Amino acid sequence: MAKTTYYVPIGPIHPALKEPIRVEAEVEGEKIVKVDVKRGFAHRGIEYMGMKRNAIQTLYLSERICGICSISHPYAFVIGSEKALGIEAPPRAQYIRSIIAELERIHSHILWLGVIAHEIGFDSLLFWTWKGREKVLDILEAITGNRINYSMYMIGGVRRDLKESHIRALKDMITYYWEFTEHMKEVFLSDPVYEARTRGVARVPKDVALKLNLVGPVARAAGLRMDIRQDIPYDAYADIDVKAVVPQDIVGEARGDAYDVTMVRIYEIEQSLDIIEYCIDNLPEGRILTIPNYIALLNKIKKTEGEGIGAHEAPRGEVIHYFRYDGTRDGPAVWKVIAPSYNNINSWAYCLLGAEVADIPVVVGYIDPCMCCNDRIAVVKDSTGKMLDYSYIHKKAIEKTRMLEKELGVRR
Amino acid sequence: MTPETIFYAVGMPLIGVFLGLVYKGIDRRVSARMTSRIGPPIRQPFWDVGKLLLKETVVPANAVKWIFNAMPLLALASSMTLLLYIPFGIIKAPLEGYGDLVVILYLLTLQALAMAIGGFASGSPFSSVGAQREMVLMMSYEMPFAIVITGFALIYKSFSLSTIASTPVWTIVGPLGGLGVFLLLIVFLWVTPAELAKLPFDIAEAETEIAEGMLAEYSGRNLALFYLSDAVRGFAMIAIEVVLFIPFTLSYLFGLNLSGPMLYIAEGLWFLFKVLLFYVSAVTLVRTSFARFRIEQASKLFWVYVNIIALLGLLLIWVEVM
């Protein structure tokens, strides 16, 4: 009997994906024999917009790059900006920043645990984990005023102070989550069905992880000890001596599959709880902003010439922002964002070859993909293969508008 | 054409659809409460069917049109016919004497087969993968199911469901045979979610993997017919389970002396209560506490473990009967 292959297109819109990306797979029965990943469906031109605005507006814009790890981009932004300006945030602000970042790591990891449970068809677990996530979201709302986009960071500090009542609530939350992670370890790590669905799926060995340039929990699950908080310490992490969470330290060996990624993420929640505890116990007194007047800050940016790189370990991996201020305007002349999902999506093609159709959602889900962080540039070509630049597209758009006006008889 | 025939032809499908949808609604509600949600109202499945019947029925361009449209009807017809073989409480089955457990097995298979053929005919890669999975799954669970039926035939020396329903199975077997029947009950509980395409064996309709699989291209009236056949099949399968394993009547259990219409009403309600009990324990509980298996894991489970349990039960019964 001749073997027939099916062409299975997954995406740009598919129930397993919450964001647009396309995976084209050739399937032979249940096995995938050929795979191609295409991205570029969510290009929004944020970097270009940021170069047209002033630095504070761009800071709020950077918060909108990603919906879930919304603090990671502003964090890298403020660190890079402070390096470019040559100022430093007060110690209290640095500690508050680290607390917020760790709170967000907790919420992002619990969200991912729910998503991966949904992908393997375990919806009860999704509801249960997300119910537990509400506690940390309430705390974040109490401190910053918002559940998702916190608008908390500012170049040279933070915008809101921690109060005594917040610290009490944080301590309650820490005890709650110690209990919750114990439950999660039981439910995820010792559940035979979960292990059967994730053990050996999406397996990336150590050398391949290095070759594919993976970052974050995915790389740590493969056994690479890499963590920005450990390698390039900043803010409160410099006082704490954070160690990267790797499976070797927990169970003795790293296999780099989806099960190990789950393990790394659950233990990272515990690490975050430790960091928050240290921060609230050793919270320094003092100001929370270096330059409280925003006009003065913008004027300083206007006069500054220099560049800076800010890096932060987001829940998904390292986020890097590069800046250059050229001393002519109050915003960045060059702004370059590197997001973790861009590196991690490289692993899909490797993992999907030879996998089964049933493993596609696990492979897609295990890196916690964020398509909005991905698309940096869109190359447009016309039918002759000529590259179209900005001015040409702009001209065409104006022509089309004029044509429409003529047709409808409208004059603006 | 006696009035009875007309009643069975018209009334039974209506009753079956009503009961199937009510049980589906209860199932959704209980599942939601178990996962700390509020859940839909019980009448939600009726609204779903009503909405689907109002929608446009789209036939894909590269589908085999007549097969694509015929299969939902076949699925619904087979599950409706299934109802006519089941004794409802103490009311005899309408088609008693025209068929038995083997026919029921075939009708259940036919319904799943209709879905698979519809999936193949719709010409979408997702449907094809889903239909392949459905066929593999059918090959896996039919064997334990057939062994269960063979075990009952050994005890009663008959395949007729009415004979089986007339005397409870637990009263005529000894201790060894009782253990065997208990093992068969466990096997039947494993087979039920696979037969009804519910978690953890909804592999053929995995939403996150292949976008509802065989039903990916179905819409409107066709999807409504599949939905109805699924609901009726759920009720019928659990009803068979109740008839086989807990056929105790209310009068038998509590020593009541009812007569006339009261007897029928009480026994009917008692039967529905038993079905509800089984439905919640065999479908809802399992559905909310398991993740979806991969197809090769499910096949291995049925072919190796469930089959071993089933054969062990059959052996015990055989020893008892010999």
Side-chain angles (χ1 to χ4, degrees):
Chain A
M1 198 183 115
K3 287 211 165 176
T4 50
T5 59
Y6 283 103
Y7 167 72
V8 178
I10 293 171
I13 292 167
H14 185 269
L17 306 165
K18 306 290 173 272
E19 292 166 290
I21 192 157
R22 189 173 174 83
V23 179
E24 293 172 352
E26 288 268 346
V27 177
E28 199 175 89
E30 283 276 327
K31 272 221 171 337
I32 298 169
V33 290
K34 213 168 114 188
V35 68
D36 187 16
V37 180
K38 287 193 169 77
R39 43 191 160 187
F41 293 93
H43 184 261
R44 296 173 293 164
I46 281 196
E47 280 174 358
Y48 184 81
M49 286 199 290
M51 288 180 231
K52 292 272 176 283
R53 282 159 176 72
N54 73 33
I56 292 174
Q57 289 168 325
T58 311
L59 173 63
Y60 292 129
L61 189 64
S62 76
E63 202 152 9
R64 270 79 183 161
I65 290 176
C66 177
I68 296 166
C69 51
S70 68
I71 214 71
S72 47
H73 288 283
Y75 208 159
F77 189 106
V78 292
I79 292 170
S81 273
E82 283 163 15
K83 279 182 186 159
L85 291 171
I87 58 175
E88 199 175 291
R92 187 176 174 88
Q94 292 188 358
Y95 271 64
I96 292 174
R97 276 186 202 171
S98 294
I99 289 172
I100 301 286
E102 293 309 313
L103 285 174
E104 176 158 272
R105 191 181 313 278
I106 293 169
H107 115 216
S108 181
H109 280 350
I110 295 179
L111 178 136
W112 177 84
L113 288 164
V115 167
I116 200 78
H118 169 71
E119 302 288 22
I120 63 167
F122 209 156
D123 278 350
S124 315
L125 204 48
L126 162 79
F127 300 128
W128 179 72
T129 44
W130 282 38
K131 196 179 158 196
R133 195 177 72 111
E134 286 299 312
K135 183 112 180 158
V136 72
L137 287 176
D138 290 347
I139 295 275
L140 279 166
E141 191 175 2
I143 294 173
T144 64
N146 299 304
R147 274 164 66 97
I148 297 296
N149 292 123
Y150 314 116
S151 313
M152 180 82 173
Y153 290 8
M154 182 45 65
I155 298 164
V158 289
R159 290 180 56 227
R160 292 165 196 271
D161 203 352
L162 272 188
K163 296 183 181 69
E164 205 50 49
S165 55
H166 293 152
I167 287 172
R168 276 201 303 277
L170 277 169
K171 279 183 172 151
D172 287 349
M173 187 210 80
I174 287 167
T175 50
Y176 172 85
Y177 275 113
W178 274 113
E179 210 173 306
F180 192 73
T181 44
E182 284 304 315
H183 276 298
M184 278 202 293
K185 279 180 205 168
E186 268 171 47
V187 172
F188 279 96
L189 301 181
S190 48
D191 181 36
V193 178
Y194 185 81
E195 189 162 359
R197 284 301 308 272
T198 53
R199 187 47 103 188
V201 176
R203 186 159 179 202
V204 186
K206 204 167 175 173
D207 53 334
V208 179
L210 271 174
K211 214 180 289 175
L212 291 174
N213 206 349
L214 303 186
V215 292
V218 183
R220 288 196 282 278
L224 298 167
R225 293 177 191 276
M226 51 189 280
D227 192 324
I228 297 276
R229 294 172 298 170
Q230 168 198 295
D231 303 336
I232 318 166
Y234 51 95
D235 282 10
Y237 304 118
D239 307 345
I240 300 172
D241 190 26
V242 180
K243 285 271 172 290
V245 178
V246 284
Q248 295 100 301
D249 304 345
I250 305 165
V251 291
E253 61 163 339
R255 305 190 209 185
D257 51 13
Y259 184 86
D260 277 357
V261 176
T262 315
M263 189 158 60
V264 165
R265 287 192 201 249
I266 291 179
Y267 279 88
E268 272 189 15
I269 294 173
E270 296 192 344
Q271 187 194 30
S272 292
L273 293 172
D274 279 337
I275 292 172
I276 294 169
E277 206 159 12
Y278 176 89
C279 285
I280 56 180
D281 289 342
N282 301 296
L283 195 62
E285 293 298 321
R287 295 181 307 159
I288 54 165
L289 270 176
T290 314
I291 306 171
N293 188 335
Y294 295 164
I295 310 293
L297 180 67
L298 287 177
N299 281 338
K300 188 175 168 66
I301 290 171
K302 219 176 212 172
K303 295 186 205 115
T304 308
E305 252 188 277
E307 58 181 9
I309 293 179
H312 167 58
E313 181 73 24
R316 294 182 173 84
E318 56 194 37
V319 171
I320 298 170
H321 281 228
Y322 168 80
F323 282 91
R324 198 167 74 239
Y325 294 123
D326 57 359
T328 54
R329 50 182 297 269
D330 52 4
V334 176
W335 178 34
K336 177 88 189 81
V337 179
I338 300 174
S341 292
Y342 194 83
N343 304 17
N344 285 341
I345 285 178
N346 296 338
S347 70
W348 284 3
Y350 174 83
C351 294
L352 285 173
L353 261 186
E356 300 196 359
V357 176
D359 294 337
I360 291 178
V362 181
V363 171
V364 168
Y366 91 115
I367 63 163
D368 198 3
C370 170
M371 307 313 162
C372 322
C373 301
N374 253 313
D375 299 327
R376 295 280 145 260
I377 188 165
V379 177
V380 189
K381 289 180 179 177
D382 64 359
S383 53
T384 60
K386 192 161 66 74
M387 194 102 73
L388 307 182
D389 57 353
Y390 169 77
S391 58
Y392 178 81
I393 295 172
H394 190 75
K395 203 174 76 192
K396 280 283 177 195
I398 290 175
E399 277 173 24
K400 177 146 186 287
T401 314
R402 295 282 171 269
M403 199 178 77
L404 275 174
E405 282 173 353
K406 210 177 280 178
E407 269 181 24
L408 300 169
V410 189
R411 287 300 302 164
R412 261 186 306 146
Chain B
M1 285 290 278
T2 55
E4 259 188 341
T5 323
I6 291 168
F7 169 74
Y8 287 140
V10 178
M12 281 303 269
L14 286 176
I15 293 170
V17 164
F18 175 78
L19 286 174
L21 289 178
V22 166
Y23 277 111
K24 226 181 164 79
I26 293 173
D27 165 54
R28 282 170 73 170
R29 185 82 173 184
V30 173
S31 171
R33 285 298 158 100
M34 281 166 72
T35 52
S36 63
R37 291 179 292 131
I38 294 172
I42 305 270
R43 58 186 182 279
Q44 183 66 43
F46 292 90
W47 285 347
D48 288 352
V49 172
K51 189 198 76 172
L52 284 173
L53 287 172
L54 293 174
K55 294 257 179 191
E56 182 193 6
T57 307
V58 182
V59 180
N62 57 351
V64 186
K65 198 169 170 178
W66 69 272
I67 297 183
F68 184 83
N69 285 324
M71 282 309 139
L73 282 171
L74 181 66
L76 188 62
S78 59
S79 51
M80 290 297 181
T81 316
L82 193 60
L83 282 175
L84 301 177
Y85 286 100
I86 297 166
F88 194 90
I90 56 167
I91 305 169
K92 291 246 185 294
L95 285 184
E96 196 194 352
Y98 294 95
D100 45 28
L101 273 172
V102 181
V103 176
I104 285 173
L105 181 66
Y106 271 100
L107 283 170
L108 277 167
T109 311
L110 184 65
Q111 210 262 1
L113 201 65
M115 279 179 105
I117 292 171
F120 277 126
S122 55
S124 140
F126 291 122
S127 307
S128 299
V129 172
Q132 284 170 8
R133 290 178 172 197
E134 177 74 6
M135 303 296 265
V136 172
L137 199 62
M138 264 161 63
M139 283 187 255
S140 317
Y141 67 71
E142 289 303 341
M143 169 100 180
F145 196 18
I147 291 175
V148 172
I149 286 171
T150 316
F152 272 86
L154 266 179
I155 296 171
Y156 286 93
K157 305 280 187 290
S158 143
F159 275 112
S160 163
L161 200 57
S162 304
T163 313
I164 292 170
S166 58
T167 34
V169 67
W170 308 99
T171 56
I172 54 170
V173 291
L176 259 183
L179 186 64
V181 173
F182 183 70
L183 289 178
L184 291 189
L185 170 65
I186 291 171
V187 170
F188 212 115
L189 287 177
W190 270 108
V191 170
T192 306
E195 183 75 74
L196 301 181
K198 293 268 193 292
L199 275 168
F201 303 111
D202 69 337
I203 308 165
E205 295 160 18
E207 183 227 346
T208 47
E209 291 162 24
I210 47 175
E212 296 296 341
M214 300 170 290
L215 305 176
E217 295 293 341
Y218 276 98
S219 60
R221 193 176 55 91
N222 287 340
L223 185 57
L225 291 180
F226 268 140
Y227 191 93
L228 285 177
S229 74
D230 188 56
V232 173
R233 181 170 64 154
F235 172 72
M237 181 83 188
I238 306 283
I240 292 165
E241 209 157 312
V242 167
V243 169
L244 288 182
F245 290 102
I246 42 170
F248 303 108
T249 56
L250 203 63
S251 339
Y252 177 87
L253 275 184
F254 301 104
L256 297 175
N257 279 324
L258 294 168
S259 60
M262 266 309 290
L263 173 72
Y264 283 92
I265 290 168
E267 291 294 352
L269 288 175
W270 172 243
F271 180 77
L272 289 181
F273 175 73
K274 283 192 294 189
V275 172
L276 177 67
L277 219 65
F278 249 96
Y279 205 103
V280 170
S281 58
V283 175
T284 316
L285 266 170
V286 175
R287 189 164 79 96
T288 40
S289 49
F290 270 98
R292 187 182 302 121
F293 283 105
R294 280 208 297 263
I295 183 74
E296 82 277 11
Q297 289 167 344
S299 292
K300 192 179 165 187
L301 184 96
F302 278 117
W303 271 111
V304 181
Y305 303 108
V306 179
N307 258 347
I308 285 174
I309 297 173
L311 287 168
L312 201 67
L314 190 68
L315 188 78
L316 288 171
I317 291 170
W318 187 69
V319 166
E320 168 103 1
V321 171
M322 289 297 123

